[in-house]
Amino acid sequence: MPDTKGWRKIKYEADLDPGFADEVASIPGGDQIFNCIQCGTCSGMCPLSPEMDYTPRRIIAMIRAGFRQEVLSSYTCWLCASCYSCAVECPKNVKITDIMYAAKRLAIKEGSPRRDFRSRCWPANSLRRFMVRDASTEARLLMRLYMKSNPFKALGQAGLGLKLWMQGRIGIHSEAIKRRDELQTLLNAIEQEHMIRKPGVE
């Protein structure tokens, strides 16, 4: 597989993870990964494939081949815009977008997203905190993102943010979540079910 400098890097079979594809397939949304026929339709339809380090077709092939480290540390699944163009055109009805979500879940779980990419700022516990406390607005979410990744880059987006705010496209005030206790109960149930499904956890 190519490394960051463009040279070819030898990957020995002993370094692969033969159970990686089964692990992805066990996650909701990833169960159709074995239906892919590698036709490349998804890569041709994806508007962001030119910006990806691996195309959607290739990332599926890499998952099935066991290239765990390369998949979980790549940009591809994080650049997916969830436009579902790939899924609509796929001749085998593979939900490629769902497979990308499955890869993202594993990357977050293992702490292996690219360190130079902003996705590392959004672990699951951050989402839980936002949902329980209040319904955060776009402006607050963006500020949290920039403060954790590149605060100086926020200055370059200040003009655009001001225009969007003046036009009423984004807000700065958060809205309180109604029936918060019910939401907390739901989140606790999901977390409990996840713990039960973990191997070796009583």
Side-chain angles (χ1 to χ4, degrees):
M1 304 307 298
D3 61 15
T4 55
K5 295 182 179 179
W7 294 91
R8 289 209 164 266
K9 188 177 180 181
I10 296 176
K11 188 79 171 180
Y12 296 99
E13 187 173 357
D15 298 327
L16 301 176
D17 183 354
F20 185 38
D22 291 327
E23 186 175 357
V24 173
S26 68
I27 298 175
D31 54 344
Q32 296 181 332
I33 193 169
F34 296 110
N35 295 340
C36 174
I37 59 175
Q38 291 289 292
C39 65
T41 300
C42 53
S43 299
M45 294 301 300
C46 179
L48 292 174
S49 62
E51 306 298 327
M52 296 175 174
D53 43 4
Y54 305 112
T55 62
R57 179 202 66 80
R58 191 172 184 183
I59 211 75
I60 291 176
M62 291 169 65
I63 291 174
R64 298 199 302 195
F67 288 86
R68 184 189 197 93
Q69 181 180 357
E70 289 80 0
V71 171
L72 298 186
S73 62
S74 72
Y75 283 124
T76 299
C77 61
W78 299 102
L79 287 177
C80 175
S82 301
C83 66
Y84 288 91
S85 296
C86 53
V88 170
E89 298 295 334
C90 178
K92 299 297 288 184
N93 297 318
V94 177
K95 307 300 183 186
I96 297 96
T97 304
D98 293 342
I99 294 174
M100 295 294 182
Y101 278 122
K104 280 189 277 193
R105 292 190 192 102
L106 285 176
I108 292 175
K109 178 181 177 182
E110 298 184 6
S112 57
R114 295 285 293 254
R115 292 190 175 275
D116 54 344
F117 199 60
R118 296 190 186 106
S119 60
R120 66 188 177 93
C121 300
W122 301 104
N125 59 353
S126 295
L127 177 61
R128 180 188 179 95
R129 185 177 68 249
F130 295 152
M131 291 179 66
V132 171
R133 290 186 179 177
D134 55 31
S136 295
T137 62
E138 297 90 341
R140 291 193 176 197
L141 289 173
L142 285 173
M143 287 307 300
R144 290 175 189 265
L145 173 63
Y146 281 120
M147 289 301 103
K148 289 186 177 182
S149 57
N150 188 348
F152 297 103
K153 199 160 187 177
L155 298 176
Q157 300 293 326
L160 176 60
L162 180 60
K163 290 180 181 179
L164 291 173
W165 176 71
M166 292 177 66
Q167 294 178 7
R169 301 297 299 272
I170 61 174
I172 58 175
H173 299 290
S174 60
E175 298 179 3
I177 293 179
K178 298 178 180 178
R179 298 158 68 182
R180 187 173 303 180
D181 55 337
E182 295 182 15
L183 175 60
Q184 184 67 61
T185 301
L186 177 61
L187 291 175
N188 291 339
I190 294 173
E191 185 174 289
Q192 182 65 27
E193 182 178 0
H194 177 69
M195 291 297 294
I196 292 175
R197 289 182 178 182
K198 279 187 176 180
V201 176
E202 298 296 335

